[in-house]
Amino acid sequence: MPVYCMSLDPLNKDLLRFLYLLTLQKKTLNSEEAGRLAGVSSRTARRWFAFLKKQCFDYYNYIDCRSIGLEYYEVLLSEVKNEQIYGIIPHRTYLMKCASLASLKPITQVSYWVPKEHTKEFELFWQAVENKGLARCKVLHLEPRAIYYSPLHEVLSQTEINHDAGADYSFFSKILADKKEKQEFEPLLIPLIFESFRENWTARMIWFNLRKKIKGKEKAYFGKYHSALDEIKINIMREKLKYLCSNSEKFVRQVDIDYAPLNSERFVTVLLYFKYNSDVARLAESTAPCTTRLSVRKSEKNTSFYFMTDALGFNKILLGLAEAGCTDMSILIKNNSATSHYYKKRKIKFPYWDIFIPETCSWKFELGKYLSDLEKLR
């Protein structure tokens, strides 16, 4: 019988099964929908969600960047002379401090969503960073990722990962194979996509968070209603949210969860880059059972696996990839304390309100400004 009381353990099996079931859906669910899925009442599902949030829990629709005209890049930086280079281009989505297992030297990985029309300029910027001697840079253009979630209630315990739990990962392989194209959209959909998908906010909450961000641009977003009362704008946004809900498959990559108890310091977080000329989905399906979740990205030249595992799982994964014929492997270990320290001083959030141009439904990329800022650094 499922546990309903609030004296739950963060790794309670019913709770972990609930989380796993959420990852197998095409979009986020409300408490009533989640309760039906898990075979419990909506009241119990609400209590579980409330408990999860107290444990530091994020649950959201992950945006497919290509659906809104952006490409995914990772930049690997070593021998960094000035960390201000991380923030010159504002299109950042994430930063992670690592150490190379081969050299034991620090490496910083920075992720970006770059306007499709400006990818060459993005690469030129990092060439300029190298030419100026501020860092050694490796720029990787990768496809949007798929996260392979393992059945958490079967693989996870307080001390280890069960590598022999059977699971069907084909749902996630379909996500990996999904290649979305840029969608046609009106300007107002961009703030709604970012705020409703990432924050799960209502139209009213979004509007009161948004109006300072778009001050001076109201006409581009609301047209003839740019001077209307707040309630009229909220109603307009409510209608657009209904459209997004009905058409979420056009913009959503997959449901994402981040749950603090899964990020245990007993496990190691690993980022692998390698070349593989065969079926990446099949390789991911054979690797995922040794992890709680496996993030997979690929391109014509490179594949990346990002995961958390224990010592035995790490050993099994490396041996499995070697046996499969993977080559040119680079192994990075996440430095959790250094990454956390960086985020304590500054917050990284994709600033769509500054770089989206609502008049043309396009994205800014001001290479001249970025190069000028770069020249000021020593």
Side-chain angles (χ1 to χ4, degrees), residues 59-108:
Y59 171 50
Y60 56 92
N61 293 316
Y62 184 81
I63 305 164
D64 190 306
C65 61
R66 284 185 172 171
S67 71
I68 55 174
L70 298 167
E71 294 290 321
Y72 179 82
Y73 273 85
E74 288 178 6
V75 182
L76 302 179
L77 298 161
S78 58
E79 300 177 26
V80 177
K81 304 294 190 300
N82 190 326
E83 290 198 340
Q84 290 183 58
I85 60 174
Y86 303 153
I88 292 178
I89 296 177
H91 302 61
R92 290 185 301 172
T93 60
Y94 187 63
L95 181 146
M96 182 166 60
K97 299 275 192 170
C98 305
S100 165
L101 195 61
S103 67
L104 300 182
K105 292 182 178 179
I107 292 179
T108 301

Side-chain angles (χ1 to χ4, degrees), residues 111-173:
S111 305
Y112 294 88
W113 282 0
V114 180
K116 186 174 182 179
E117 300 80 9
H118 298 285
T119 55
K120 294 296 183 186
E121 294 165 84
F122 178 79
E123 294 170 7
L124 283 172
F125 173 84
W126 293 107
Q127 287 179 16
V129 170
E130 277 216 336
N131 293 340
K132 194 171 170 61
L134 289 175
R136 293 175 62 86
C137 314
K138 184 174 183 179
V139 180
L140 300 171
H141 184 192
L142 299 167
E143 295 178 12
R145 54 92 167 137
I147 292 184
Y148 287 64
Y149 288 93
S150 291
L152 302 170
H153 54 299
E154 296 178 8
V155 305
L156 197 62
S157 72
Q158 295 283 358
T159 57
E160 62 184 4
I161 294 172
N162 174 16
H163 309 123
D164 298 318
D168 180 1
Y169 293 96
S170 59
F171 175 82
F172 306 111
S173 288

Side-chain angles (χ1 to χ4, degrees), residues 125-294:
F125 173 84
W126 293 107
Q127 287 179 16
V129 170
E130 277 216 336
N131 293 340
K132 194 171 170 61
L134 289 175
R136 293 175 62 86
C137 314
K138 184 174 183 179
V139 180
L140 300 171
H141 184 192
L142 299 167
E143 295 178 12
R145 54 92 167 137
I147 292 184
Y148 287 64
Y149 288 93
S150 291
L152 302 170
H153 54 299
E154 296 178 8
V155 305
L156 197 62
S157 72
Q158 295 283 358
T159 57
E160 62 184 4
I161 294 172
N162 174 16
H163 309 123
D164 298 318
D168 180 1
Y169 293 96
S170 59
F171 175 82
F172 306 111
S173 288
K174 289 176 183 176
I175 295 171
L176 184 66
D178 184 17
K179 296 190 176 185
K180 294 191 190 315
E181 298 296 329
K182 182 182 177 181
Q183 301 297 312
E184 294 295 326
F185 54 83
E186 53 187 288
L188 191 55
L189 286 189
I190 289 298
L192 292 180
I193 284 171
F194 279 91
E195 303 294 359
S196 68
F197 286 178
R198 188 65 181 88
E199 306 291 351
N200 296 314
W201 284 350
T202 64
R204 182 174 297 276
M205 294 166 70
I206 291 172
W207 169 241
F208 287 110
N209 178 62
L210 180 64
R211 57 182 180 178
K212 285 184 180 178
K213 295 177 179 176
I214 66 168
K215 190 173 181 180
K217 303 177 184 177
E218 292 88 348
K219 191 168 184 178
Y221 283 104
F222 288 97
K224 64 182 180 180
Y225 297 103
H226 68 279
S227 299
L229 298 174
D230 285 349
E231 285 303 319
I232 294 175
K233 289 176 179 173
I234 290 168
N235 284 334
I236 292 171
M237 295 175 76
R238 197 171 282 131
E239 289 303 310
K240 302 303 180 187
L241 282 175
K242 287 180 183 177
Y243 168 82
L244 276 181
C245 185
S246 301
N247 294 272
S248 59
E249 74 283 353
K250 293 181 179 180
F251 302 99
V252 173
R253 186 78 183 159
Q254 72 180 116
V255 170
D256 216 349
I257 63 168
D258 192 11
Y259 182 43
L262 301 181
N263 302 324
S264 170
E265 292 187 356
R266 296 185 301 274
F267 303 142
V268 60
T269 304
V270 182
L271 180 58
L272 303 180
Y273 295 97
F274 54 89
K275 292 182 179 178
Y276 186 62
N277 297 322
S278 190
D279 188 344
V280 172
R282 182 175 294 180
L283 186 68
E285 290 184 15
S286 65
T287 303
C290 294
T291 74
T292 54
R293 58 184 180 181
L294 170 68

Side-chain angles (χ1 to χ4, degrees), residues 1-22 38 40 44-53 55 57 152-153 257 259 261-262:
M1 289 289 291
V3 177
Y4 303 138
C5 67
M6 293 308 295
S7 58
L8 287 173
D9 181 279
L11 296 181
N12 173 274
K13 296 299 182 184
D14 293 325
L15 202 61
L16 293 179
R17 175 179 174 272
F18 179 64
L19 289 178
Y20 177 62
L21 291 174
L22 294 179
V40 299
T44 296
R46 281 196 300 273
R47 289 177 174 175
W48 280 358
F49 275 130
F51 176 82
L52 288 165
K53 287 177 181 177
Q55 310 301 314
F57 170 66
L152 302 170
H153 54 299
I257 63 168
Y259 182 43
L262 301 181

